[in-house]
Amino acid sequence: MRAPVPAAAHHYSRGVAAKRQQSRLAQRLQGIPTSIFSEMSALAVSTGSLNLGQGFPDTDGPPAVVEAAVEAMRSGRNQYAPGPGVPELRQAVADHQRSHYGIELDPHSEVVVCTGATEGVAAAILAFLNPGEEVITLEPYYDSYVANISMAGAVRRPVTLRAPDFRLDVDELRDAASDRTAAILVNSPHNPTGTVLNRSELEAIAAVAVEHDLVVITDEVYEHLVFDGHEHIPLCTLPGMWERTVSISSAGKTFSFTGWKVGWATGPADLVHALYSAKQWLTFTSGAPLQPAIAHALTQESGFYGKLAGELQDKRDGLCAGLRELGMRVFVPEGTYFVTTDVSGFGHEDGLAFCLALPERAGVVAVPNQVFYDDAEAGRHLVRWAFCKDQTLLDEGVRRLAAADLEA
Ligand code: PMP
Ligand code: GLN
């Protein structure tokens, strides 16, 4: 019997020609490669390179939160949690939304805990989109959106954020909406560009959503990681948006526990219930002992993420300066873990080829933005660098890049 070919068989490093039409992989996953984050982190390990690719911090979040998880395990909270999440975490999420954004939530019907924001987004897409319906996304898009939209049999309709500013083109957004559109999926603060959508951009999205009566899914995982006084405004707080919006957050990003995979979705009861209807058939329920620990984080460690944002801003500035000095054009991000640069100054038109060669040339791993675009030309020359890393590692990364021959 022929062995099934896992999705991981299609690697960027083996070229796009490696698409396996003949495999047993279902059509909805064909042509969707291994996640670039897995691929680049594996490359970092196999080449012993510094990983400025995948967005995870080198330093864990508050020790007291780890202790709370250990305590939860020791005190027997090791069996299935209630499907929508443990009550204290749902209450803590409701309190967080009130204190930061003035959003009043019923923790019983308007909050659902997910296995990371990834599951929240997947459940939302599966819950709200019928086969053939279109979902508008900002491109460059987070890679899981593409797979999830395909799994739902839906169709993505990207609206491109273009260098150098990566702002929303409101006309392009309006043109993207039609009677086939069912939803808009918005990510702000935006990975990989670092754009934090401002009020007038959010108002434009709201106007389109209301005009076409769309569901809106917002991926707000970097809500607290914004710089220079920029403000993250949840789209659900704009007029006409509450009743049509589910908002998705991640404790991984807010508290530097990306490996815990705890996130949550909030919104009006009917939408949260629909999302939960899908979530229950994905994981049924999320990791039990981690949930009281994240409740502890939200109630006791609210100072953590403000401090983290300050530290990230300093690291951003350092890395941007270092990359600029090497001769790259740097697009300074307003938020997130990431800075995007243009590598065409080195004679590289193709950021993917640049990134695949970088471990050998410099002992550093970065991520090519072009894999997040349908309009590959718009992202071909762009490369993303993560600065959520220890300062010594960032310094060493710049030192290695400076010592390497980066010319095409
Ligand atoms: N959305 C975006 C934009 C991300 O960058 C990430 C990576 N953390 C996720 C979703 C996934 O979050 P989680 O790890 O909580 O599943
Ligand atoms: N969100 C992180 C990034 O953009 C990685 C998460 C993942 O690996 N799926 O790099």
Side-chain angles (χ1 to χ4, degrees):
M1 203 177 96
R2 209 156 41 98
V5 180
H10 176 190
H11 291 279
Y12 286 104
S13 49
R14 292 190 202 144
V16 177
K19 283 183 193 167
R20 305 125 291 125
Q21 297 307 331
Q22 77 290 5
S23 82
R24 293 191 178 182
L25 188 67
Q27 279 176 5
R28 62 181 170 270
L29 288 174
Q30 288 204 9
I32 301 177
T34 306
S35 169
I36 193 72
F37 308 119
S38 311
E39 176 124 359
M40 287 303 174
S41 284
L43 200 56
V45 171
S46 68
T47 60
S49 296
L50 298 183
N51 192 348
L52 303 187
Q54 193 179 18
F56 60 88
D58 293 333
T59 305
D60 289 347
V65 179
V66 175
E67 289 309 313
V70 171
E71 173 55 26
M73 286 182 201
R74 291 221 166 100
S75 63
R77 302 190 70 171
N78 298 304
Q79 309 309 326
Y80 295 125
V86 301
E88 67 260 50
L89 179 52
R90 282 185 279 151
Q91 183 63 57
V93 167
D95 293 344
H96 169 274
Q97 295 300 95
R98 184 191 314 105
S99 66
H100 283 283
Y101 308 123
I103 300 167
E104 292 291 339
L105 291 170
D106 171 8
H108 303 291
S109 61
E110 296 180 328
V111 180
V112 66
V113 175
C114 299
T115 305
T118 306
E119 189 198 32
V121 171
I125 288 170
L126 292 167
F128 299 127
L129 287 155
N130 290 303
E133 288 180 339
E134 291 187 3
V135 52
I136 296 173
T137 60
L138 305 182
E139 103 172 340
Y141 34 63
Y142 188 59
D143 65 350
S144 72
Y145 302 170
V146 170
N148 295 157
I149 292 167
S150 182
M151 286 175 185
V155 178
R156 65 180 182 273
R157 191 81 162 82
V159 170
T160 308
L161 306 178
R162 289 176 202 284
D165 296 329
F166 300 111
R167 302 313 316 181
L168 178 66
D169 181 330
V170 174
D171 292 330
E172 207 182 310
L173 171 70
R174 287 200 197 101
D175 289 348
S178 72
D179 56 9
R180 293 182 300 282
T181 315
I184 308 185
L185 170 50
V186 180
N187 169 218
S188 177
H190 183 261
N191 177 9
T193 65
T195 294
V196 179
L197 294 178
N198 60 35
R199 191 171 287 280
S200 77
E201 289 165 319
L202 294 168
E203 282 169 354
I205 296 172
V208 169
V210 170
E211 185 187 333
H212 294 269
D213 194 20
L214 307 177
V215 170
V216 178
I217 305 160
T218 62
D219 176 343
E220 305 181 28
V221 300
Y222 300 101
E223 62 193 306
H224 293 298
L225 307 184
V226 293
F227 315 132
D228 307 323
H230 285 287
E231 187 193 5
H232 168 65
I233 305 169
L235 190 47
C236 71
T237 59
L238 270 64
M241 294 308 285
W242 166 251
E243 60 268 32
R244 63 181 69 254
T245 305
V246 285
S247 311
I248 295 169
S249 295
S250 170
K253 295 291 143 65
T254 296
F255 292 107
S256 295
F257 288 116
T258 60
W260 286 20
K261 298 298 290 185
V262 177
W264 49 87
T266 59
D270 60 333
L271 297 187
V272 167
H273 183 74
L275 185 152
Y276 176 62
S277 302
K279 182 241 155 50
Q280 66 173 334
W281 305 123
L282 294 172
T283 55
F284 178 54
T285 175
S286 300
L290 302 180
Q291 296 188 42
I294 295 300
H296 173 94
L298 283 168
T299 52
Q300 308 295 320
E301 301 282 355
S302 59
F304 177 79
Y305 37 83
K307 191 161 166 280
L308 174 63
E311 290 164 3
L312 283 171
Q313 181 173 320
D314 290 343
K315 289 179 178 180
R316 173 202 67 171
D317 291 344
L319 185 60
C320 287
L323 295 174
R324 204 178 284 119
E325 237 165 74
L326 296 176
M328 290 183 216
R329 184 162 184 209
V330 173
F331 307 106
V332 179
E334 297 169 337
T336 78
Y337 283 167
F338 311 110
V339 53
T340 287
T341 60
D342 177 348
V343 296
S344 60
F346 298 118
H348 294 278
E349 288 310 318
D350 190 316
L352 177 56
F354 176 88
C355 288
L356 290 174
L358 200 57
E360 200 168 307
R361 285 180 171 218
V364 174
V365 158
V367 163
N369 293 31
Q370 69 177 262
V371 305
F372 307 128
Y373 288 82
D374 282 10
D375 179 356
E377 283 314 309
R380 193 173 299 286
H381 56 302
L382 302 176
V383 169
R384 189 194 85 171
W385 312 81
F387 51 81
C388 51
K389 308 290 178 180
D390 288 347
Q391 192 57 54
T392 46
L393 191 137
L394 294 170
D395 292 343
E396 173 64 10
V398 172
R399 198 194 60 70
R400 288 187 186 191
L401 291 167
D405 176 11
L406 298 178
E407 299 292 328

